[in-house]
Every structure is written in C-alpha cells, then in structure tokens.
Amino acid sequence: MATTSRVARPRLSSTGDALRPDSNGSTRERLTALAFIAPALLGFAVFYFWPTLRGVYFSFTEYDVFNAPVFVGLDNYRALFADATFGNAMLVTVEYVAINIISQTVLALLIAVLLHRVTRSVFVRSIVVMPYLVANVVVALLFYWMLDAQIGITNQFLGWLGIEPVAFFGDQNLAIPTIALVNTWRHVGYTALLLFAGMVMIPHDVYEAGRVDGASEWKMFWRITLPLLRPVLALVLVITVVGSFQAFDTVAVTTAGGPGDASRVIQYYIFDLAFQRLQFGYASAVSVVLFVILAAVALVQLKLMRAGESDVA
Amino acid sequence: MGTKRRIARTVAAFTGVTVLLTGCASYGVDPGGDENSGEITYWMWEAAQLPAYQQCAEDFHAANPDIDVKIEQFGWDDYWNKLFTGFVANSAPDVFVDHTSRYGEFASRGLIEPIDDLVAADGIDVDAYVQGTAELWIGPDGKRYGLPKDFDTIGIYYNKTMAADAGVTDEQLKNLTWNPADGGTYEDVIAHLTVDQNGVRGDEPGFDKSRIQTYGLGINSSGGPNGQTEWSYLTQTTGWTYMNARAWGTEFNYDDPRFQETIAWWRGLIEKGYMPPLSFTEGGSQDQQMQAGKYAMVTEGSWTLATFAGLEGVDIGLAPTPIGPSGERAAMQNSLADTIFTSSPRKGAAWRWVKYLASAQCQDVVARSGVVMPALQSTTETSKAALAETGLDITAYTDQIDNGTTFPFPAVLNSAEVNATMVSAMDNVMAFQADPSSLTAANEKVDALFR
Amino acid sequence: MATTAAAPLDTEALLDRSAGGGGRPRRGPGRILAWVALVLIMAATLFPFLWMIRTAFSNGAALSTQPASLLPVEPTLGAFRRVLGLASTEEAQAQGGSGAAIDFGRYLLNSVLVSVLITAGQVFFGALAAYAFARLRWPGRDTVFFLFLTALMVPPIFTQLPNFLLMRDLGLLNTYAAIVLPFFFMTPFAIFFLRQFFLGIPHEVEEAARLDGAGPLRRFFGVILPMASGPITTLAILQYVQAWSEYFWPLLVASEENVRVLTVGLGIFRAQTPQGTPDWSGMMAGTLLAALPVLLLFAVFSRKIVNSIGFSGVK
C-alpha cells in the first residue's frame, strides 16, 4: 500500500527523503556528482542556455544569415507591436490551444472513465493509444485526405446526411478548429491513459463507500474521481500546452499557414519569417515575446500543480 | 568607486558576450566551386514536363558521361519554401528552374550566378529566342541570369458540351467583351453557363445560388501579387499597371481604383454564385473540377494545354481572353529559365547542363512532348504541330503573341515579402474577410518595403 | 527476478489488486450506453487507419469515381510501387502520381539510427543527471536543478533558430550529428522523470550497499539502475516515439537525401505530388509505410507500452 501512495503523488519540489540539504557531501560524492551531471550540463549549456542568449541578442538585430547581424536596438520589438500578422498569429495560436486543450481533456476524461469503469482490457487500451504512436506528419496527411473537400470520405458521409461539402482545411473559419481536432485525435488516447492510470490509483473503497451511500456513477465522477484526479489533470495540462507546439507539423504539411493567415500559428510564422523571408532578427524577437508569454503561463500552471499536490497528499 | 568598477565589469562582460555571440559565425554566401563533373541536382516544379526533361537528362548524360543529373520535382507552393530553406542551409540544388517573379531577389542577394561571361564565351545567340523572352532574364543589376527555355500566355478553357447545351457558340466565346461595371458579354456567358442543382441557369429566375451544380467560371487562387491566370488578363485591359516600371518597380498600384474595381467585379462572381468560394481551391485543381463537371470555364496558362487536352470524358475548347475597356485583349507572357546556385561546388558542370537545357537538342525533345512551348524559335513549328495534336486551337495563345497584346510578368525585388503581403491581402478579400478597399493598406505595406 | 522491482509501479499490478473489489458499476442501460460509447470511440480511432490502407491499395487515378467505397478502388500495388520508386515516371503519372519516390530503406535506416541514438543518449545521460540530483549531495544542486526546470518551459522554436545557426556555423548541416546532438545530452523531461523515481527508492537500499563499501558509482550501476529498469523502459519508449515523430528539427538541419528521416521524406513526397491534384493513394501508401515500423513494434509490445504510458503520468 505504501507504494501506491508514493506513486500517486507527483512531486516537483526538490526535497527528497534521501536528501539532507544541510550537507554538501564528501569530496568523492561531489566528484561523482560532477561527472554524472557533466553531460547534461554540457547539453544544457550548448543547446538551451547558449541559444537563449543568442536568440535574445538576435532579437535586437537585423540579420539575414548571409550578412553579419546589424544592431538595431528595439526596432524589431517596435515593428512587432504594429504587425497585424503577428497579432493574428497569436490569436490563432490561442484559438488552437483552447480548442485542443478543451476537446482533448474532455474526451480523454470520458475515455478514461470508460476504461476505468467499463472494461480494463489491455486490447481496448492498445487501440485507444495507437494514434499516439504514429508521427504527426502521418496523421496530418491522413486527415488532409479524409477531410478533402471534393472526394474525402468525411464529405461523403456529410453528403448522405444532405450536407453540402465542407472545405475543412480550405475555409478560413474552419482551418484552425480542424487542425486542433486532428491533433486531438492523435493525443487523446495518450492523455486518456494518463488519466486512467490516475484513476486506478484511487482506492476502490472510496467508490465502495460512495455506492453504499447510494451515489450514482455520475455523482461519483464529480464527487470522487474528478477531485482526486486534479494533480494528474494539472500534469496533463502541462503536457498539452507543450504538445501544442506540434501544431507546426500539421500546419506545415497541410495548409502552410493559409488560407490567408487563417492557420498561421505563431510557430509557423516564426519559421516563415526566418526561413522564407530571411528575417532572423525579427523572427527572434517574435520568439522572445512568445517565450515570455509562455513563461508566464508556465508559472501559473506550476502554481496550479502545487495546489493540486497538497490536495491529495 | 565600487559602483564604477561594477559598471566596468558589466560592460566588459557584455562586450565579451557580444563577441562570443557573433564571433564564431561566418558570413556571406558560400562562393561554391567550379568543378566540371560529378552529380548535379536539378529542381523543377512542373510534373507534366518531368518526362521530357528526364529524357533531356538521359541524352545529356549519354553525351557527357562525366556528369549525372538528378532531377527532383516539387509542387509550386512547396518549391519556393524548400528552395529558400535550401539557400539558408546551403543545400539548394546546383541548378533549378527559376521564375521571373522570384529570381530578382535571389540575384540581389547573390544567391544565383550571373551568366553573361559564359554566354559570351560560348557564343550563344540570345536573338534565337522568341521575342521578349530573353530580356525577362536580365536582372535588376543589368546582368543576365538565365536563358529562356519556354514561354507561356493565358487563355480560357471551356467545356464544349456545356457551351453547346447552353446555346453559346464557339464564335461568341472567341469574341467576348468585358468591363468592370457590368462584366460585358463575358459575365453574360459565365452566368448562362452556371447551373444550379435544379437545372436553373444563373441568368434565369429561380436560380438557387446556394446549391450549384456547375459554376460558370472556376477559380485557381486569389492571385496574390500578380494574378497571372486569375485576373491579370482583366486588370491589364483597364490601363492599370502593377508598378512604376515594367520590372523591378518600387511603387505599386494596388491602391488604384481600376485595380480594386476589377477585383470587386471578380469577387462579385462568387456572391452571385457564378464562381466557387476561395475555399474550393484547397485540394482540387481546376482541371480536376472541369473533369468532374463542376466548372464550365476556367482561365489557365498555356503550360496546362496537355493536361486539359488529356482530360477523359470531357470535350474541351480553347478561347482567347476577353476584349476589355481598352478595346484589346491582354495576356501575361512569361518565360522560365534555369539558374545556377552560387554555392554549387560544380558550377562548371552546372553551366554545361544549363546550356544543354536551352539548346535545340533538348528543346526539340520538349517541343515534341507537346506540353509547353519552347522559347527557341527554331523549335516553334515542331511545338505547334505537337500542340495541335491535342486538338485544341492554340491560336488563342499564339495570336496574342503575334498581335502584340501580351505583357511581361511583373518581376519585383523583395518578392518573398511582396508575396507574403499580397497573398494574405488578396486571400482575405476573396474570402470576404476584407473589402477590396483594404488593398490600399496592403499597397502601402508593399511600397514601404522599397523605401 | 529483475522485474519485481518495477512491478509495484506497474499499472497492471495495481489493476490486478483493485480488480477483485467489484469497483465496476452494475449492469443496466447505463452500462450498455457506456459500451456503445466505447465501441464508437474505438471505431473513430481505427477507421482512419482502415481508410489509409484502403486508399493505399487503390488506383489513384480512379479514386474520385468511387470516393465512398469501403474497399480499394481498382485494387493495385501501384501506389507502393511508385512510392518505392519501382514504377517509371509514365506509369506513376498514369495512376495520379508525379514520378516522385521515397527511398524508403534509406529513410527508415536513418530514422531508426537517429531515434536509437537520441533515446540511448537521453536515457543514459538523463539517468546519470537524475541520480546526481536525487541521491548525491553537492553544492549548487538546487540552483542547477531550477535552471533545468526552466528549460522545460522554453518553447522549442525559441532555441531551434539559434541552434540551427550553430549547426550551420559548425558546418554540421545535413549530418546525423546535427539531428541528434541537441537532444542527445539532455532533455529536461527525462531528468525529471527519472529523478522522481530515484527520489522514491527507500534510502535503506542504498545505505546497505554503502555499508558494504560501495562508492556512488557502484551504487548507481549496481543497485539503483537495476531497480529502475521499469521506468527506464517507459522513458525509452516515450522518447523513442517522440524522436521518431520529430519533423521540424530534422527538416531544418537535414533535408538532404542521405540523412533524410522518414517524416521529412514523407513531407517532401507530399510536396512532390502534383499541387492541385494530390496523389492521395501514393501519399497513403507512404504514410502506411512510415507508420508500419512503429505499429508493428506496438503489436508485439502493446501490453508493455500501454502500461508504461499510463505510468509516465503518475511518476
């Protein structure tokens, strides 16, 4: 039983039971630690820290890759706030993330509850998680075909229902919801399994007690499952937000940002600026702003997770 | 005192970091090399021309065993994306088919090789090409960047059966007139050829524009900055011009009422139900729609001749573009050429291949394939004969050239930026997210690029 | 056996424990409804795969004649032939292709190589770092850990632009090294994931080894690592799937043919099909081929993978 509670508690704080913060360890231990941490530290320094510095530096320059960067001060940032395409890209990205998170969380909860309360066959769970194993690009192409306005199967179905063909990727208002839902299809099984594992951790005597009290399945979901699932839900939210950057792959192989700027999500816009228009400086400024916004979001999420942690323990 | 030292240290640290940040990078375009043999990568976008050029590559290899040509083909949109990324990553092809709309920017960045010296050294006669094509490849710096290999103009393909059913004669189709106010006989025919799902025509009472069986006119895209096949044949007849020069202009005219009126009329066709919404363009091409009976007429370039002629189950006719307010027709004329990537390590071999591509040997093969009109005058007869085999009346294209009613493709600098701005602006207008008057703001944005 | 240490953390084991308890709802209309929902969800998951297979075996040029037929239209292996470059340009174009092909064997090899390297590096170096963070005492540990934590929040695109330029400056573009290096030494997720597990291992286990005179190195390789085989497998599977799906980074640094991975190859194949008239059956044959290696692996190890993924969330 001890293992169960240990596993069920996600921890992000660095105070482990094996650690004595007052001590800095023996010389031998320090040397080992240094050796152990060295590769990761190198990776961090070269591929996270260094590029972050460079990215910030480039954001103050005009840089086309072929000529040396020219320092332009705050010009890029000034241009950015007047750039309607940037504003639109942020909006579109938020729309994508909102649709993706909501649909994915709700659907995954539903699937997880079904897996938990109806059947626990590994076979069913295997099927549910299958899309996650297929690359984004594959999924994007598959749905690009199935949702084709002319001969895609989805529109054949709609046709039988008497609905005129819908250009899922071609319609300015539908492109982003379509892309968001396509990615939901790929990720929902994975999310459902995370939630399912969280539900399994809930001691079943809690449900037993609920049943004795005459609570319905519906009530038990809202009163027992959901509150006890909060920490896992918080984690799922983090994973989804990080995962939302995969939107690039789908956009790149389907709409390439179009029609107009309807699906030009911020990641694609940055790519566009850097590699199609050779504005590395401006592209860097856009990513700095994105970084700042995401850091703020991450802070809020971290708070949420901490709150969840105390809830369960 | 302490503060001063701290400031000094901060400054030193900053300088150090700045040196580090910029220090290790190398700048400038890789100058490449002049290797005269090896494997050459060659990119093109037109799938229909692939077999002909593969034949050229085989013949070339037979005559020059020391050079292998590897051809890769990408669809139009992806082509330019891949090319740009290739330039940045130094993995662009040695030789690639270039377009008048794009090469100016490559040239000004030093990404493609001027060939004046090579042309002079090898004694290539640039007068041997169809009039107006060789000049298209003289860049903004006055240097030559390519030898034209083909040329094209714009015309109207129509479904003959549908036209006959509607009582529209070939004669009528060949003498259409147009104006931006009421659309002239062009709009009359488009309306008459449009049929709803109850069989009611677009100009008849009871026409249901929400349930269309066949659209009178198809749509390719919003046309972006040039509207080559979409609207350029209309705007030109109003006296409108793209910019303050035929090529490499610096002030644009997208704010001109003549331009915006034309776009408003063109967009009006969608509202009237005569032309499909812009979202139709995602996924299915015009020839496919024509084959499916969705379109009665489309405006397309001469490079699609073989595709349209080869459509099974439909009888296709070809007509010239309508006569506009100027009293004349107009059709954009363009030409493609092959350009050499500056950083190619095998520029010697690359030039040999480019020279072969523009030569009579290769262009004869291309002419016989009947998919495009080669730019070498000596191949024109072969080409006309091959194209005539398609059964289409290619005078719709050639007459415009012979009568001097064509105009050159509007080549611009900063094309990636101009393109990004204008595609987005035109898409928004055509998707009814913005009014044609919004193009004035887009024009301002484009103008600002050149200030 | 070696697996006993991992077993308590396995969702399967937890399931077994709670299965006998009768935690499931009673039979009734609600249960039928739930089954109907489950079957619908499975159908929605499986149908796209079915459609992929159906289209891949169809004749591309005839697809539009029977867009809704459940069986392949004019069944043929033509799509596979042209994807693999076995068909001539003329033959390919007759069936709606463009003459483009995927050098499947080569890209597959590249994908496997790159994914294995990335996974191996991440798991090994991640385990080392995680151990140092969880079980060793050294000055500055919490500061470094916090720094790593922030790396988790950095959007990939932010570091990818400068990293691309770094690879360019180092002359590493279009090499395996360029694809692998940024992921090889560290990924924040791997470190957090394993650190969380190491923190949970009772202190006494290591203390016993320490009393026997084992140094930190021996304790790590001899005691901790074997205990962690379960979570390490989980992590390896997750990171492998991730590396296998990676598209943006290899697209930037390695689009040349000899180092092209499957996802990039597929993206390029899509770009090569005629613009307005995509070669749908060719594309589906390509996607099927690209998905197959992982799906086959999944068919063999599904129980392990399913349980692993469940576990990854509750670390």
Side-chain angles (χ1 to χ4, degrees):
Chain A
M1 228 41 245
T3 23
T4 317
S5 62
R6 189 192 73 221
V7 169
R9 191 168 65 232
R11 259 186 307 239
L12 261 157
S13 67
S14 62
T15 47
D17 29 357
L19 306 168
R20 260 165 265 130
D22 51 297
S23 163
N24 274 331
S26 64
T27 317
R28 190 179 175 197
E29 200 168 331
R30 283 191 199 185
L31 282 178
T32 316
L34 188 65
F36 274 28
I37 204 79
L41 206 56
L42 175 81
F44 175 77
V46 177
F47 297 110
Y48 286 89
F49 189 65
W50 171 246
T52 302
L53 280 188
R54 257 186 127 186
V56 172
Y57 165 71
F58 285 139
S59 75
F60 295 107
T61 65
E62 198 181 308
Y63 183 34
D64 74 347
V65 187
F66 298 112
N67 299 295
V70 179
F71 191 79
V72 293
L74 288 171
D75 278 10
N76 286 329
Y77 290 94
R78 241 173 259 134
L80 198 144
F81 287 106
D83 181 356
T85 318
F86 169 75
N88 175 67
M90 285 310 281
L91 265 179
V92 164
T93 310
V94 169
E95 187 190 349
Y96 169 88
V97 172
I99 296 175
N100 187 241
I101 287 188
I102 293 170
S103 63
Q104 194 163 306
T105 314
V106 170
L107 261 176
L109 263 175
L110 173 72
I111 296 173
V113 167
L114 290 174
L115 290 176
H116 186 226
R117 308 298 289 163
V118 178
T119 176
R120 288 174 176 184
S121 127
V122 178
F123 174 71
V124 173
R125 271 183 282 150
S126 307
I127 287 183
V128 166
V129 82
M130 216 158 87
Y132 180 68
L133 301 174
V134 180
N136 272 318
V137 177
V138 170
V139 172
L141 286 178
L142 176 55
F143 276 90
Y144 194 49
W145 158 229
M146 290 188 33
L147 299 175
D148 181 63
Q150 269 81 44
I151 52 173
I153 183 66
T154 316
N155 273 313
Q156 305 300 320
F157 279 133
L158 293 181
W160 294 332
L161 299 174
I163 300 171
E164 288 287 294
V166 180
F168 289 96
F169 286 101
D171 188 306
Q172 293 213 330
N173 300 317
L174 290 179
I176 276 294
T178 302
I179 291 166
L181 291 176
V182 165
N183 285 348
T184 296
W185 182 82
R186 177 173 182 254
H187 283 273
V188 74
Y190 175 71
T191 313
L193 279 199
L194 295 185
L195 293 173
F196 168 75
M199 289 176 185
V200 168
M201 303 297 171
I202 300 171
H204 69 260
D205 28 326
V206 181
Y207 289 100
E208 216 49 64
R211 186 148 313 137
V212 169
D213 290 350
S216 63
E217 280 290 321
W218 182 249
K219 255 200 180 132
M220 284 202 279
F221 172 75
W222 287 104
R223 298 263 171 86
I224 303 173
T225 313
L226 212 53
L228 289 178
L229 216 55
R230 252 177 73 193
V232 184
L233 266 175
L235 177 93
V236 164
L237 271 174
V238 173
I239 292 180
T240 315
V241 170
V242 172
S244 72
F245 282 90
Q246 311 261 331
F248 175 87
D249 300 359
T250 315
V251 170
V253 296
T254 57
T255 58
D261 292 322
S263 63
R264 204 168 300 278
V265 289
I266 195 80
Q267 305 89 305
Y268 197 81
Y269 185 50
I270 293 172
F271 167 77
D272 222 22
L273 286 170
F275 290 92
Q276 314 300 331
R277 307 201 215 163
L278 304 179
Q279 297 186 4
F280 274 78
Y282 188 53
S284 298
V286 175
S287 30
V288 167
V289 171
L290 178 67
F291 180 34
V292 170
I293 293 174
L294 268 167
V297 173
L299 262 170
V300 172
Q301 280 186 332
L302 220 64
K303 281 238 165 79
L304 271 174
M305 274 177 90
R306 288 250 166 83
E309 195 174 7
S310 60
D311 212 58
V312 156
Chain B
M1 190 188 98
T3 331
K4 240 183 203 167
R5 202 184 303 155
R6 211 175 307 140
I7 290 172
R9 224 185 311 157
T10 315
V11 169
F14 256 106
T15 329
V17 168
T18 314
V19 168
L20 266 175
L21 288 171
T22 53
C24 68
S26 54
Y27 299 110
V29 177
D30 180 349
D34 290 321
E35 197 82 40
N36 207 10
S37 60
E39 190 187 76
I40 287 183
T41 315
Y42 176 61
W43 281 12
M44 56 190 296
W45 64 79
E46 194 62 70
Q49 298 175 15
L50 193 56
Y53 281 101
Q54 252 162 4
Q55 184 62 49
C56 282
E58 277 165 37
D59 297 348
F60 176 72
H61 181 63
N64 304 273
D66 57 329
I67 302 177
D68 272 315
V69 178
K70 201 180 94 195
I71 304 184
E72 286 192 294
Q73 170 269 331
F74 303 101
W76 170 262
D77 291 335
D78 298 286
Y79 189 85
W80 303 105
N81 289 358
K82 295 234 168 303
L83 198 59
F84 253 105
T85 315
F87 285 141
V88 178
N90 207 356
S91 61
D94 301 286
V95 181
F96 58 94
V97 181
D98 214 334
H99 195 266
T100 29
S101 67
R102 303 283 180 148
Y103 85 95
E105 179 166 13
F106 303 157
S108 65
R109 288 187 189 276
L111 292 166
I112 52 175
E113 199 75 3
I115 55 169
D116 302 79
D117 298 344
L118 298 162
V119 169
D122 285 350
I124 292 171
D125 176 17
V126 291
D127 295 330
Y129 299 103
V130 171
Q131 203 187 353
T133 55
E135 297 89 87
L136 282 167
W137 289 94
I138 295 176
D141 52 1
K143 289 181 186 156
R144 187 180 298 280
Y145 286 92
L147 295 170
K149 38 184 220 176
D150 54 25
F151 68 98
D152 52 66
T153 66
I154 308 300
I156 301 174
Y157 294 102
Y158 60 93
N159 185 317
K160 277 188 161 172
T161 322
M162 286 181 182
D165 286 351
V168 179
T169 65
D170 288 1
E171 220 37 52
Q172 273 174 290
L173 284 162
K174 281 179 178 140
N175 296 295
L176 294 171
T177 60
W178 173 84
N179 66 71
D182 65 7
T185 59
Y186 187 42
E187 180 169 336
D188 294 343
V189 167
I190 293 172
H192 197 55
L193 286 173
T194 305
V195 184
D196 74 8
Q197 285 179 357
N198 301 318
V200 181
R201 294 191 175 279
D203 52 0
E204 291 169 359
F207 169 69
D208 180 2
K209 66 178 183 181
S210 66
R211 304 179 73 81
I212 302 296
Q213 185 72 42
T214 300
Y215 290 100
L217 187 66
I219 184 168
N220 227 349
S221 78
S222 72
N226 56 65
Q228 185 174 15
T229 64
E230 293 84 2
W231 42 256
S232 69
Y233 65 95
L234 299 174
T235 47
Q236 188 72 18
T237 61
T238 64
W240 179 78
T241 54
Y242 288 88
M243 49 193 166
N244 60 354
R246 288 201 115 188
W248 323 121
T250 53
E251 279 168 43
F252 292 79
N253 300 328
Y254 298 115
D255 55 351
D256 189 306
R258 285 172 296 186
F259 174 71
Q260 295 183 1
E261 274 163 22
T262 307
I263 296 303
W265 172 84
W266 187 50
R267 180 174 93 150
L269 294 179
I270 297 177
E271 279 176 305
K272 292 169 190 157
Y274 302 160
M275 188 165 80
L278 185 67
S279 59
F280 245 66
T281 56
E282 189 81 29
S285 62
Q286 295 210 86
D287 55 287
Q288 219 181 15
Q289 304 282 12
M290 195 117 179
Q291 187 170 25
K294 274 277 179 197
Y295 296 167
M297 288 198 300
V298 299
T299 52
E300 261 294 3
S302 55
W303 59 88
T304 57
L305 256 171
T307 313
F308 277 90
L311 289 182
E312 269 173 55
V314 268
D315 195 4
I316 302 285
L318 180 58
T321 55
I323 298 162
S326 65
E328 284 189 348
R329 307 177 194 284
M332 189 182 282
Q333 185 186 352
N334 194 27
S335 157
L336 306 180
D338 303 296
T339 49
I340 300 171
F341 180 34
T342 308
S343 308
S344 160
R346 286 169 286 273
K347 281 189 273 195
W351 167 244
R352 280 162 68 193
W353 169 237
V354 166
K355 199 168 60 173
Y356 184 78
L357 284 168
S359 73
Q361 287 113 301
C362 177
Q363 288 313 314
D364 259 338
V365 173
V366 176
R368 273 196 303 273
S369 75
V371 286
V372 71
M373 298 184 274
L376 263 184
Q377 282 170 341
S378 62
T379 64
T380 306
E381 289 315 308
T382 322
S383 160
K384 276 187 178 169
L387 289 170
E389 274 173 38
T390 61
L392 292 175
D393 178 10
I394 60 162
T395 55
Y397 288 131
T398 51
D399 279 359
Q400 297 234 29
I401 295 165
D402 297 344
N403 298 339
T405 52
T406 59
F407 57 97
F409 190 97
V412 293
L413 282 165
N414 283 324
S415 55
E417 291 291 321
V418 173
N419 218 44
T421 307
M422 287 311 296
V423 166
S424 157
M426 285 298 299
D427 275 8
N428 284 332
V429 169
M430 292 311 288
F432 293 89
Q433 307 275 330
D435 283 325
S437 57
S438 69
L439 295 166
T440 305
N443 193 67
E444 179 55 33
K445 252 177 115 176
V446 174
D447 274 355
L449 295 170
F450 295 88
R451 268 185 225 126
Chain C
M1 269 180 31
T3 46
T4 42
L9 295 163
D10 202 306
T11 47
E12 196 62 16
L14 286 161
L15 270 179
D16 291 344
R17 211 175 302 151
S18 67
R24 302 186 189 186
R26 290 169 288 261
R27 281 165 213 294
R31 199 165 161 73
I32 294 170
L33 202 72
W35 266 108
V36 170
L38 204 55
V39 167
L40 277 179
I41 287 164
M42 292 208 292
T45 310
L46 286 178
F47 183 78
F49 288 103
L50 180 82
W51 205 246
M52 183 197 279
I53 296 167
R54 172 263 186 197
T55 311
F57 285 100
S58 295
N59 178 348
L63 269 182
S64 58
T65 58
Q66 284 170 283
S69 130
L70 277 176
L71 293 173
V73 186
E74 296 182 15
T76 166
L77 289 175
F80 292 94
R81 283 174 51 79
R82 62 179 179 275
V83 169
L84 296 174
L86 302 173
S88 69
T89 305
E90 285 78 6
E91 189 187 327
Q93 292 195 342
Q95 286 196 13
S98 68
I102 292 180
D103 190 351
F104 186 72
R106 176 97 217 200
Y107 300 171
L108 179 69
L109 197 74
N110 289 341
S111 272
V112 169
L113 188 77
V114 162
S115 306
V116 166
L117 274 176
I118 290 177
T119 309
Q122 285 183 347
V123 171
F124 182 66
F125 295 126
L128 287 180
Y131 181 75
F133 280 127
R135 317 285 295 200
L136 298 176
R137 286 154 297 169
W138 44 285
R141 187 187 59 197
D142 289 353
T143 317
V144 175
F145 186 73
F146 178 75
L147 270 178
F148 280 25
L149 192 83
T150 54
L152 195 62
M153 310 299 173
V154 177
I157 188 104
F158 182 70
T159 47
Q160 272 161 345
L161 282 194
N163 274 340
F164 167 82
L165 296 169
L166 179 68
M167 293 301 168
R168 185 173 184 268
D169 295 341
L170 293 175
L172 286 177
L173 289 181
N174 295 307
T175 63
Y176 293 122
I179 315 178
V180 172
L181 275 179
F183 305 102
F184 191 64
F185 294 107
M186 103 127 193
T187 172
F189 179 73
I191 295 175
F192 294 128
F193 182 83
L194 289 175
R195 173 179 171 270
Q196 214 59 40
F197 176 78
F198 292 156
L199 280 176
I201 295 177
H203 206 208
E204 298 77 43
V205 177
E206 226 180 325
E207 204 53 46
R210 189 208 290 271
L211 290 176
D212 286 347
L217 212 63
R218 263 210 12 232
R219 292 206 302 275
F220 173 69
F221 285 105
V223 180
I224 301 289
L225 217 50
M227 285 187 79
S229 69
I232 283 186
T233 316
T234 304
L235 180 69
I237 290 169
L238 287 178
Q239 298 310 89
Y240 189 86
V241 169
Q242 188 93 28
W244 184 269
S245 306
E246 194 64 47
Y247 175 67
F248 184 64
W249 179 249
L251 174 75
L252 289 189
V253 296
S255 58
E256 263 183 18
E257 191 142 25
N258 51 341
V259 289
R260 218 176 264 169
V261 294
L262 266 179
T263 46
V264 176
L266 206 58
I268 288 177
F269 182 77
R270 136 96 175 101
Q272 286 175 318
T273 82
Q275 200 73 59
T277 335
D279 172 14
W280 294 118
S281 57
M283 262 157 62
M284 287 305 109
T287 52
L288 185 58
L289 287 173
L292 218 49
V294 176
L295 288 181
L296 283 179
L297 217 66
F298 183 58
V300 179
F301 298 109
S302 62
R303 181 172 284 264
K304 181 98 212 154
I305 295 176
V306 163
N307 288 327
S308 294
I309 290 178
F311 170 69
S312 74
V314 282
K315 35 183 186 173

